[in-house]
Amino acid sequence: MTEAEEDLHCWVPTSAPRPARCAGGLSGHSVAVKDMIALAGHRSSYGLAAWRATHPPSETTAPVLERLLDAGAAIAGVGKLDELAYSLEGNTGEGIAPLNPRYPDRFAGGSSSGPASAVAGRAVDIGLGTDTAGSIRVPSAGCGLFGLRPTHGVLDTTGVLPLAPSFDTVGLMCIDPALLAQSFAIACGDGTDRPRREISRIRFPRDCVSLACEEAARAIRSTVETLSEVLGCAVDTSFAFADFVSDESASMFANLVDREIWQTHGAWVREHRDAFHPLIAGRLRHAEKVSDMPADQQRAEERTREVYRERMNSIVEDGSVIVLPVMPHLPPSRHADDAELAAYRLTTFRLTAPAGLSGCPQLVVPTSGRAFGVGILAGHNAESALLDAAVRYADSGGTQSLRPRRPATHGRRFVT
């Protein structure tokens, strides 16, 4: 580990770098693996020393990671994450919170904070993480990266510790969108072409921009203009999206996610309540509470989710994409108090809810200058169109200040 990598604080104490084991399309590239994705012989922490102490090492490697390794990638290390992957801030994992290389005085964003820090700090080329409620999209936006939350179920979650299974996805982060596209294609691993979809229209709901600070709103408008130019698409600004990012939708999303979290981990949490950061402990108490809601209320929320999903699909099924903020402003200060963190989380949760509730893919592209991160949400299985748009957007100069300064060759030190 180099001194620069130590300064990132991105690796877990038991980080397990592995050399490339073969040549392939990802030869010369390295991966940071979120410490909830199985790596044979490694004992995952799930963000908690107590989890590591009470669970055995993995006997196998997660298939999605195997595919990257089979393509010639090396593992540079295992990255930190927030406890139980249950945070959007990047502030509750083991030890010192990972550095945000783009904004060192701010958190990296969670829960995939370690891989995001490693990619943004150029210690690796590819960050492999997960996204349940924003855990790829938020750190990507906060650290100035391209990040993809794919269509729910597209990437294999076998060997990935569950949080809320009907929302969990595996996702990827890169500085270079072309490498992101290549890595995603390899991670799919089915040997077939993904469905080809063209982006026909850009929907830009101005009512959602009010959730972002003015500087972020200007950056988003500029990004929309650039996307319209490079894609040759009209922009529909008449589209209203407030119902999809309302407090009611966010509350339903939180209840559904929290209920699944408690169903998945409640028994272990009851035995290890003292192991958690106070912020996470509070969320787990809420998860326990909503799991005890009357059955008819739970069924009503599930029905509302289905209606939400159907409405969203009807909007994007014609090839439209929706451009939204990912966060209201830059990530929180590393000195933010609990009230500031709560306000940030609440607004961010509203903005990340649409992809989670609908199962649709969402791609984060960084803006030039101060990187706020813009989310482009599309219909199911439209990843190829999103990734093509990201490459064209970057090539147009939309993220000129964020493009790699040199070829990503540092992973070669692991090649045997």
Side-chain angles (χ1 to χ4, degrees):
M1 184 186 299
T2 66
E3 183 177 348
E5 287 179 275
E6 289 180 354
D7 291 342
L8 292 172
H9 304 292
C10 61
W11 307 122
V12 296
T14 57
S15 183
R18 306 282 175 90
R21 62 192 186 195
C22 62
L26 293 179
S27 290
H29 293 295
S30 53
V31 184
V33 183
K34 187 175 184 178
D35 197 21
M36 60 185 288
I37 298 172
L39 176 61
H42 174 72
R43 195 187 300 263
S44 295
S45 70
Y46 213 171
L48 292 148
W51 185 278
R52 184 188 293 115
T54 55
H55 290 81
S58 300
E59 296 183 356
T60 60
T61 296
V64 68
L65 177 55
E66 285 279 10
R67 290 169 189 145
L68 300 180
L69 300 179
D70 287 343
I75 297 176
V78 179
K80 291 180 182 178
L81 70 157
D82 287 316
E83 295 175 358
L84 290 188
Y86 196 14
S87 176
L88 296 176
E89 293 91 337
N91 64 331
T92 66
E94 290 185 282
I96 299 172
L99 179 76
N100 183 336
R102 191 150 182 84
Y103 303 107
D105 61 333
R106 297 178 179 273
F107 289 119
S111 64
S112 305
S113 53
S117 175
V119 175
R122 302 176 189 267
V124 300
D125 310 303
I126 304 162
L128 183 65
T130 64
D131 188 308
T132 299
S135 292
I136 285 286
R137 292 165 288 161
V138 170
S140 294
C143 294
L145 306 174
F146 289 88
L148 176 66
R149 175 201 164 98
T151 303
H152 187 266
V154 163
L155 292 185
D156 191 351
T157 56
T158 303
V160 180
L161 289 169
L163 181 61
S166 74
F167 297 96
D168 295 346
T169 61
V170 175
L172 297 147
M173 299 172 279
C174 294
I175 288 176
D176 183 354
L179 179 59
L180 180 63
Q182 180 187 13
S183 301
F184 172 72
I186 290 169
C188 287
D190 55 13
T192 61
D193 292 333
R194 303 300 304 164
R196 295 295 303 178
R197 295 194 177 193
E198 299 298 327
I199 295 175
S200 60
R201 176 168 49 179
I202 298 170
R203 296 184 183 271
F204 178 41
R206 293 184 181 274
D207 53 350
C208 294
V209 179
S210 64
L211 295 174
C213 70
E214 182 53 38
E215 189 179 4
R218 287 196 300 270
I220 294 165
R221 294 186 188 102
S222 176
T223 300
V224 169
E225 291 175 3
T226 302
L227 285 169
S228 176
E229 291 173 4
V230 300
L231 298 177
C233 290
V235 179
D236 177 4
T237 60
S238 65
F239 179 56
F241 203 64
D243 287 349
F244 290 92
V245 294
S246 66
D247 287 339
E248 292 76 16
S249 295
S251 178
M252 172 187 63
F253 184 33
N255 285 348
L256 290 167
V257 170
D258 284 357
R259 191 172 296 123
E260 287 193 27
I261 290 171
W262 193 257
Q263 290 169 352
T264 304
H265 296 299
W268 189 86
V269 169
R270 284 193 183 98
E271 295 181 4
H272 301 87
R273 290 186 189 273
D274 293 342
F276 292 95
H277 186 287
L279 291 175
I280 305 300
R283 292 167 200 166
L284 287 167
R285 286 192 293 272
H286 179 265
E288 185 175 16
K289 180 179 178 181
V290 299
S291 70
D292 290 332
M293 282 182 175
D296 58 344
Q297 186 173 347
Q298 296 185 32
R299 287 192 294 270
E301 288 182 337
E302 290 289 352
R303 288 193 295 270
T304 302
R305 177 189 181 182
E306 289 304 314
V307 172
Y308 185 107
R309 184 185 180 97
E310 291 170 2
R311 290 176 60 209
M312 178 68 74
N313 289 341
S314 70
I315 293 169
V316 294
E317 66 183 2
D318 64 350
S320 294
V321 296
I322 304 169
V323 179
L324 298 166
V326 176
M327 307 183 299
H329 46 68
L330 293 177
S333 164
R334 295 176 79 92
H335 305 292
D337 59 28
D338 288 352
E340 292 173 286
L341 293 173
Y344 164 83
R345 177 179 172 82
L346 178 62
T347 304
T348 300
F349 206 74
R350 289 175 63 180
L351 293 168
T352 60
L357 283 168
S358 67
C360 288
Q362 189 171 28
L363 177 77
V364 172
V365 301
T367 60
S368 58
R370 285 163 67 88
F372 289 95
V374 179
I376 309 173
L377 188 147
H380 291 173
N381 301 306
E383 288 86 358
S384 60
L386 286 174
L387 291 163
D388 176 68
V391 172
R392 294 164 67 181
Y393 169 74
D395 287 345
S396 75
T399 58
Q400 185 174 0
S401 64
L402 303 173
R403 296 285 279 170
R405 292 188 289 267
R406 61 184 185 278
T409 58
H410 41 278
R412 291 196 179 110
R413 68 182 183 276
F414 295 105
V415 177
T416 57

